Amino acid sequence: MVRIGYTMMTEQAGPRELVSHVVGAERAGFDFSVISDHSFPWLESQGHAPYAWSVLGAAAQATSRIPLMTYVTCPTFRYHPAVVAQKAATMQILSEGRFRLGLGSGEHLNEHIVGAGWPAAHVRLEKLEEAADIIRRMFTGENVSHHGAHFDVENARLWDLPDEPPPIGIAVSGPRSCELAGRYGDLVIATEPKRELLELFDAHGGAGKPRVGQLPVCYDTDRDAAVARAHDQFRWALGGWKVNSELPGPAGFEQASQHTWPEDVAGSIPCGDDVDAFVEAVRPYAEAGFSEVALVQIGGDMQELFLEWAEAKLLPALRNL
């Protein structure tokens, strides 16, 4: 049975609302939760970008059961890997063992703010590998000094360690990231239901480890309203990873998606309140071998209604996958 998760999407709601939403997701019976880690929204119509780690700390105190996870944090530009290790260890303590650290190579949209440039994809993956190694070493509690190709760490140590370190997830989109995930990850993260990604992950040491996907959905009793909202706030998602990782700001996503029409979005994102359509959208992930799928309800002001509907109708139907 695929575990179904809830996404706190920082691009579409403020910090207090996000905490309230994850409390509602726990109450509704979602199996886990994830949170995006952005400094910018994809489109200005989304309108938010609070600091994910403050939201996570508040969520850890406001909930008691639901697991929490970054989906995903880039530990190589805005954040130094030694700082990410400290944040993650503290979150694991605050949540009493409910935290997982999802890592990725980042998007220009978020990482440009520190003025460090945006190198080629292979360099970003080199940096991610080096960062993952530093974080793993710091989770042991040892004093860490490191002078590598991309990072320096001088006599760093985590003084507050959880009983068990947070599991590390690595986001993948191609062969090189799958190799990295297999070697450094306790789980794999992907946003498309591609079986070949999981097979590559397994080939490099990932066999038997959790694999977590994500799917945008747009619930509304008025399907036309759902399609309009999905187009307004989520049409950027149809651009694909190679485009989405490179654009530097919302204006770029506006330009890149100007010829994406509502019917295009409706063909990729389940919209409305037809439970069967939502189940069929999740099914490819189950068939590809994903063990977990986090849903993204589009529209910050539609979370409470979505959670009520999910508890009553959607989650019971998804339990049969």
Side-chain angles (χ1 to χ4, degrees):
M1 184 173 67
V2 177
R3 299 174 71 237
I4 303 300
Y6 173 79
T7 299
M8 291 179 278
M9 192 173 186
T10 59
E11 304 94 292
Q12 66 178 15
R16 294 181 63 85
E17 291 76 18
L18 290 164
V19 175
S20 175
H21 297 161
V22 76
V23 169
E26 180 176 71
R27 186 183 308 117
F30 279 86
D31 297 313
F32 67 101
S33 68
V34 303
I35 188 170
S36 57
D37 187 351
H38 272 237
S39 61
F40 269 75
W42 300 97
L43 297 170
E44 287 195 16
S45 58
Q46 293 176 313
H48 294 275
Y51 184 54
W53 290 86
S54 296
V55 175
L56 280 167
Q61 299 305 292
T63 59
S64 60
R65 176 194 61 81
I66 194 166
L68 305 163
M69 177 180 171
T70 51
Y71 203 101
V72 294
T73 284
C74 176
T76 55
F77 291 90
R78 283 182 293 155
Y79 310 137
H80 189 282
V83 176
V84 172
Q86 183 186 31
K87 294 193 292 189
T90 298
M91 264 304 303
Q92 183 74 320
I93 294 169
L94 286 172
S95 66
E96 298 182 297
R98 291 183 284 137
F99 181 67
R100 295 183 291 179
L101 175 62
L103 299 176
S105 59
E107 298 109 2
H108 196 184
L109 173 71
N110 301 302
E111 308 309 322
H112 75 271
I113 64 171
V114 295
W118 191 240
H122 75 275
V123 176
R124 303 197 302 262
L125 287 171
E126 287 175 7
K127 289 169 70 74
L128 178 59
E129 180 172 8
E130 190 173 334
D133 179 65
I134 291 167
I135 292 167
R136 280 243 179 252
R137 289 170 60 193
M138 290 196 65
F139 281 170
T140 67
E142 67 180 82
N143 281 15
V144 175
S145 290
H146 171 91
H147 303 286
H150 301 287
F151 298 105
D152 289 302
V153 180
E154 192 67 48
N155 193 31
R157 177 182 171 187
L158 296 178
W159 289 86
D160 287 276
L161 283 171
D163 294 335
E164 295 291 335
I168 294 176
I170 305 288
V172 301
S173 60
R176 178 69 178 90
S177 54
C178 288
E179 177 192 349
L180 195 160
R183 289 192 290 115
Y184 287 95
D186 301 301
L187 56 138
V188 68
I189 295 164
T191 56
E192 295 179 280
K194 293 182 176 180
R195 182 184 295 273
E196 59 266 30
L197 294 176
L198 304 185
E199 291 173 346
L200 285 167
F201 173 62
D202 289 348
H204 292 286
K209 297 177 182 178
R211 51 276 331 266
V212 187
Q214 190 178 54
L215 173 71
V217 301
C218 197
Y219 164 76
D220 199 303
T221 55
D222 182 338
R223 186 175 185 277
D224 290 341
V227 171
R229 185 169 64 253
H231 177 259
D232 177 56
Q233 297 192 20
F234 233 82
R235 64 187 183 275
W236 59 270
L238 276 64
W241 175 250
K242 288 185 178 181
V243 172
N244 292 346
S245 64
E246 300 294 339
L247 296 177
F253 286 93
E254 294 278 359
Q255 182 72 18
S257 63
Q258 64 178 324
H259 297 303
T260 301
W261 308 113
E263 55 267 29
D264 300 324
V265 175
S268 299
I269 296 172
C271 296
D273 63 353
D274 181 347
V275 170
D276 290 341
F278 283 64
V279 171
E280 288 309 307
V282 174
R283 191 178 303 280
Y285 287 87
E287 292 176 345
F290 284 82
S291 54
E292 307 178 38
V293 178
L295 304 181
V296 183
Q297 164 62 16
I298 299 170
D301 59 352
M302 286 296 294
Q303 302 302 306
E304 290 84 359
L305 292 174
F306 167 71
L307 291 169
E308 291 173 6
W309 177 73
E311 180 179 10
K313 295 185 178 181
L314 181 59
L315 290 177
L318 289 172
R319 302 301 183 207
N320 295 321
L321 272 176

